[in-house]
Amino acid sequence: MERYWNQEIETMSREDMKKLQDERLVAQVKHVYENVEYYRNLMDEKGVKPEDIKSTDDLYKLPFLTKADLRDAYPYGLLAKPLGDCVRIQSTSGTTGKRVVAFYTQNDIDLWEDCCARAIVAAGGTNEDVCQVCYGYGLFTGGPGLNGGSHKVGCLTLPMSSGNTERQITFMRDLGATILCCTPSYAAYIGETLHDMGYTTDDIKLKAGIFGAEPWTEEMRRSIEKSLGIKAYDIYGLTETSGPGVSFECSEQTGMHINEDHFIPEIINPETGEVLPDGETGELVFTSITKEAFPLLRYRTRDLCVLSRKKCSCGRTLIKMSKPMGRSDDMLIIRGVNVFPSQIETVLIEQGYSPNYLIEVDRINNTDTLDVSVEMNPEQLSASKDDIQNLEKSLASAIKTMLGINPKVHLVNPKAITRSEGKAVRVIDKRKLHD
Ligand code: ADP
Ligand code: ZN
């Protein structure tokens, strides 16, 4: 039986949800227009007044907001509440450039933690669970968000933060952790360390993992599920919209339900800004309709995915987003071909390799080069030079089939690639250094 944290909202009819969104959107636009000069200017430039927004059908009239705007307005330019009403800041990981900061009132924190509580309950969490949070704590939203959600659900919360992986496993075993929250790349590392320490899944009590903050493939999911003996759930969010918990996976594991009572999603064509119908892939845009201190309207996430209103077996009526395959700025253009690191990950794991890999792109003699290093499996250590070359060739040809371009594959020794305790860095684009 599927359980819910907030059954009324999570299973609300489409009409009721739209009504709720309409009311909240109208109030939010007014709040933003009155309190944020930066927004007022953007709206005035576009010739749109708060009165023009009468329901979610008018959403398209509002200007977009981008990460560049956030950097422009840093630090206080988008603040919609007096500083005296704010109780917290968090900051992005800075994966793609200068960090941006987000502000929270106490109410904002409550709503955010509530979203995380929905995710934990959807993963089967109750007050009987021991929830080990090894997302980073601090400015990064992962730790604080899941920590708060775990408290709300009443789980015994282990605020481990990331790092010190052997200690993670000792605590996991000693305290009988049942739910693990971290990035998928760190989950893979924890799984690997568990086995390196001589334990098996019989030695731990974990049943579920809530993993997000970076793209990960279905193949990666299956590999983590096997090594930790759990069901792995995806969770999505970004600092700009509070943090993790904007959307979360249910038992069906076919995409993440968006907390639509707080965030209205749209999918747009990233080139033209045109709104696309459900079912088409494009850039995800969010309008936060309940946030007080840092409410972003039509914020362009740069994450690429698809929305679906297909009925879900869990009973939730909240719209679902597919796993983002990466950000538009993660996409590499190599010899004119669009390449997502996640496509390479799919091939590597399918071919029986571990998710420890590094992609290096360069331009040599005016030609783009693609080098993929992946760790060989321990049993391949004794293979002859010729055998290794053949393995590399066959992996290169599998990648070529997926991407249409030929990579150079390097099988490296086990453990040669640095493990990630947070967001994994899987791509080095040296072409940028030459520019
Ligand atoms: P930064 O933008 O510096 O990485 P954040 O820590 O706020 O800062 O990261 C938010 C981003 O992380 C999202 O925009 C998205 O690209 C990525 N992300 C978060 N959760 C997921 C997920 N479940 N799947 C794929 N990508 C994710
Ligand atoms: Zn569902």
Side-chain angles (χ1 to χ4, degrees):
M1 242 291 275
E2 189 87 21
R3 289 174 59 257
Y4 311 99
W5 174 250
N6 184 335
Q7 181 156 6
E8 189 194 342
I9 290 286
E10 293 175 58
T11 61
M12 191 172 255
S13 73
R14 185 69 210 120
E15 302 79 70
D16 287 352
M17 180 57 79
K18 179 162 189 314
K19 226 159 79 201
L20 183 68
Q21 289 180 329
D22 289 346
E23 278 164 22
R24 289 181 170 178
L25 175 68
V26 170
Q28 186 71 300
V29 172
K30 196 162 168 282
H31 167 60
V32 166
Y33 190 83
E34 284 169 4
N35 294 293
V36 186
E37 191 190 339
Y38 195 96
Y39 256 111
R40 198 156 49 239
N41 292 340
L42 282 182
M43 284 174 64
D44 288 347
E45 263 168 42
K46 224 182 160 212
V48 45
K49 292 269 171 275
E51 308 79 82
D52 299 328
I53 309 299
K54 298 193 178 66
S55 76
T56 49
D57 301 331
D58 298 320
L59 202 53
Y60 74 93
K61 296 178 182 164
L62 290 169
F64 290 117
L65 198 77
T66 64
K67 201 144 187 160
D69 288 309
L70 264 55
R71 289 180 177 142
D72 223 23
Y74 175 90
Y76 295 126
L78 287 165
L79 195 61
K81 279 280 189 186
L83 266 186
D85 291 350
C86 298
V87 299
R88 173 97 67 84
I89 74 149
Q90 304 280 170
S91 165
T92 59
S93 328
T95 315
T96 58
K98 188 174 163 199
R99 289 163 178 265
V100 301
V101 290
F103 300 85
Y104 305 71
T105 61
Q106 185 55 51
N107 195 42
D108 291 334
I109 301 262
D110 277 346
L111 297 181
W112 172 29
E113 293 179 351
D114 218 65
C115 288
C116 290
R118 290 181 196 176
I120 293 171
V121 170
T126 71
N127 63 339
E128 302 293 330
D129 279 296
V130 178
C131 182
Q132 180 163 352
V133 183
C134 359
Y135 284 109
Y137 280 63
L139 285 171
F140 177 54
T141 53
L146 268 308
N147 188 84
S150 172
H151 273 238
K152 283 216 173 202
V153 175
C155 305
L156 175 64
T157 309
L158 307 185
M160 301 292 295
S161 198
S162 60
N164 205 335
T165 309
E166 292 199 359
R167 189 181 65 192
Q168 300 277 4
I169 286 162
T170 306
F171 268 91
M172 180 183 286
R173 280 171 38 78
D174 291 352
L175 298 166
T178 51
I179 299 178
L180 178 68
C181 306
C182 59
T183 59
S185 53
Y186 195 37
Y189 182 22
I190 291 176
E192 182 184 9
T193 309
L194 176 83
H195 297 278
D196 286 351
M197 287 169 77
Y199 298 122
T200 70
T201 54
D202 292 339
D203 297 305
I204 54 171
K205 291 212 177 109
L206 278 191
K207 61 176 187 189
I210 302 176
F211 306 133
E214 62 183 3
W216 52 311
T217 56
E218 284 301 328
E219 291 71 24
M220 176 90 161
R221 187 209 302 268
R222 282 192 285 277
S223 147
I224 297 171
E225 287 188 330
K226 193 159 158 247
S227 94
L228 287 170
I230 59 173
K231 187 156 171 163
Y233 297 80
D234 203 352
I235 184 168
Y236 168 89
L238 52 162
T239 313
E240 297 90 317
T241 55
S242 284
V246 169
S247 64
F248 60 96
E249 231 171 19
C250 61
S251 53
E252 204 182 86
Q253 291 181 312
T254 54
M256 296 175 271
H257 289 286
I258 297 175
N259 286 312
E260 287 181 277
D261 51 331
H262 300 302
F263 305 101
I264 305 177
E266 296 172 275
I267 292 285
I268 63 163
N269 175 329
E271 310 291 327
T272 63
E274 175 204 359
V275 179
L276 300 176
D278 292 352
E280 283 192 33
T281 304
E283 179 180 347
L284 188 56
V285 171
F286 280 115
T287 297
S288 66
I289 46 178
T290 48
K291 261 152 55 79
E292 298 176 337
F294 198 66
L296 303 185
L297 306 182
R298 299 198 90 199
Y299 181 65
R300 293 184 58 161
T301 62
R302 299 186 287 180
D303 292 321
L304 300 174
C305 69
V306 185
L307 295 178
S308 159
R309 286 218 175 269
K310 251 219 279 357
K311 199 165 182 260
C312 190
S313 61
C314 75
R316 287 182 184 78
T317 49
L318 300 171
I319 196 169
K320 288 209 287 202
M321 59 182 268
S322 63
K323 252 179 181 318
M325 60 191 305
R327 299 189 235 218
S328 48
D329 36 8
D330 286 341
M331 191 181 79
L332 298 160
I333 302 180
I334 305 172
R335 286 173 232 148
V337 176
N338 297 350
V339 173
F340 279 96
S342 54
Q343 295 174 295
I344 296 176
E345 178 176 298
T346 297
V347 177
L348 296 179
I349 302 180
E350 257 174 15
Q351 299 285 319
Y353 292 92
S354 71
N356 299 306
Y357 61 93
L358 184 69
I359 299 167
E360 288 169 281
V361 187
D362 203 350
R363 183 169 293 135
I364 294 169
N365 298 330
N366 290 321
T367 307
D368 292 334
T369 58
L370 168 63
D371 285 72
V372 179
S373 303
V374 61
E375 290 178 6
M376 62 180 83
N377 293 314
E379 63 275 13
Q380 292 165 338
L381 264 175
S382 53
S384 70
K385 229 173 156 183
D386 280 355
D387 286 348
I388 293 290
Q389 268 178 6
N390 287 335
L391 288 167
E392 289 173 338
K393 267 194 206 138
S394 95
L395 198 45
S397 107
I399 294 174
K400 164 131 204 256
T401 308
M402 168 69 101
L403 303 179
I405 51 172
N406 232 330
K408 211 174 192 164
V409 169
H410 312 271
L411 282 180
V412 298
N413 282 339
K415 311 262 193 264
I417 289 173
T418 313
R419 301 295 185 259
S420 152
E421 296 174 349
K423 293 191 192 227
V425 178
R426 309 221 191 253
V427 179
I428 300 177
D429 192 342
K430 295 182 185 153
R431 294 175 302 185
K432 289 186 183 150
L433 301 175
H434 311 317
D435 290 343

